[in-house]
Amino acid sequence: MDPSKEQSRSNCEQTWKAALETCREVLGEDDYDLIVDFENPDKAITAIKGLEDRYAQSPVSRVLKNIKPQLARLHKFDQTLRNITTKVDHLQKLLEAQNITQLNRTQARLAQSLSQLNVNGSGGPQQPDMNTLSVNTLPHQRNPTFYGRKELIREINSYLHAREGDPLIRSVAIWGTGGIGKSQIALEYAQQQWLAGTNVILWVASETEAEIAKSFNEAASRLDLPGYLETNTPDQNRFAVLQWLQRSGSVPWLLILDNVEDQKVLSENWPRTGNGSILVTCRSEILAASPAAVAIEIPAFTMSESGELIMNIMNRKNASEDENLAAHELSEKLGGLALAIDIVAKQIKTRKRFKTIRDFLPYYEQHYRTLHKRPKIGIFDPYYSKDIDTVWQTAFEHLEPDAARLMSLFCFMAPEGIPQWVLEPKGDVPTGWEFLKDPENFDKVKVELLDLSLIRINEETGLISLHRLTQQAFFDRMSEQERKDAFKVAFALLREAFPGRQGRSVRAIPKAKKALRIREASATDKNDLANGFSDVGYSSVAAYEAEQGLQYLEKALGIAEAAPEPDRYKVYNIDRFLRNHGRGNMLLGRYDEAKADFDKAEYYQPMIHGKNSHYDGE
């Protein structure tokens, strides 16, 4: 016989024996007896025909029938090793589906079983040449406008850089709220490692099952792995890639699992060994804690960094001191969120209607919802396609009812430094808010918001905080009724938390009344008199004496509204009278009347303070 054919037969016989051993492991000893006499493919095919007659309903016979065509091709020496590997993998899945075995095979054992089928020689494919292997599946080229984060990248590298005595697998998870820049940091780190000589860098987009499957399919193809076929199932390619990572020897690799939302993604795609590093990006502080060895929170940019980044995006050099101050003011409104800074700065640059950032600020106050979306025409961003309003959309949509209510409550509080004891009601609560009185349920709700990185809790102080844009985005999607319900509960909680506080103007009421009596006595200036009524009314409302305050404010409004336009708004501070009247109605729970007051005040706002002015107090 031709020596090459003899070698091929030998390889096939070895492959067959390895397949039998794999079947023994999968089936267990009892079911394995059915095929124990299959010394070679010839006898196997003959026995299968008998099994089909004797065990027509047997799940084992159906499994064996499924691999019969493969056995025939193997006997003809014209089928590569990758197909027998595929069939054995399929055998395992069918057996598990039929409950033939209760064996819970770990990923490592599966990799070990599949590796039994790898043979080198004329009968099977060759492993990639490790000495010349150079593969990366990064989704983008290096971002030329990437800004800052040098210290963070150095910290990540200090944990992932291989050192003598370190574990073979090194891992870091970076976490933070949506839009903070986690993926961009991971991409910049990966590009730096590629330039530094890391042979293999694999990027696995991990937000959905479809993205994960696509990423592993690309990795298997680019690595040219034994067993890879375009017709393989996603699991087959995933197992092949993970097996290679675990058996790569001295070849260094970096695996990035980007935008992980579920612990299952980590447990199913985490190599158990190998000469590499793993970098995870996720929102959740809880998810980042395991199995990664180190978790690093990604903070927002500082005001100084944010202002500089805005100027960089807009190509503004040698800006005036006032322009730099305006950039810092805009940065404060955006809360140092990388995505927000990128989108809004590009909006200014694209629109070309504002000479300065100072000119842009009033427009932003009035049109922030539109400006939080990427320009449809103009600057295209290949690195991140989401808008500010959509970056938290998935998290918001999947909130349990109690978690959504707690978020709505936070919308009526300062976004930073919320004491947890303020959220503990002493009296009754409305229907649906009972979780506030149940410590165990309240803790579950907090954990849900933490897991989605919608809130943070300071470990030392216990204070709750959330990003101001997260707060604004959630408030914008609330219905009017949801806002009313949340405001009632927030107001009640704050009144309970500060029972002795009567308002910042409690001592001002007597002085305001005395000044009003003097004005009434002179009665020479109606505007002065209206302001006197307004001062008493505002002081009363601020002291939580709303009923009394409204009486004075209505007198101020009566004087102003008696005047014809434009004197009504040119002579009198009617917008201020209306806002204070609205605050009094809010305290009394008259929300429709309060909204009408605020809407009317907004009507007068541009007439009094200018076209692009906007009051953002309510």
Side-chain angles (χ1 to χ4, degrees), residues 15-35:
T15 300
W16 170 246
K17 291 178 181 178
L20 285 184
E21 290 303 312
T22 300
C23 290
R24 181 199 297 274
E25 182 180 356
V26 173
L27 292 169
E29 291 297 332
D30 293 340
D31 291 317
Y32 179 72
D33 288 341
L34 293 171
I35 58 171

Side-chain angles (χ1 to χ4, degrees), residues 519 524-532 559 571-573 577:
R519 288 168 171 169
T524 57
D525 188 334
K526 288 186 177 181
N527 179 42
D528 194 42
L529 181 61
N531 285 333
I559 294 173
V571 175
Y572 299 97
N573 296 311
F577 303 163

Side-chain angles (χ1 to χ4, degrees), residues 226 297 601:
E297 181 182 9

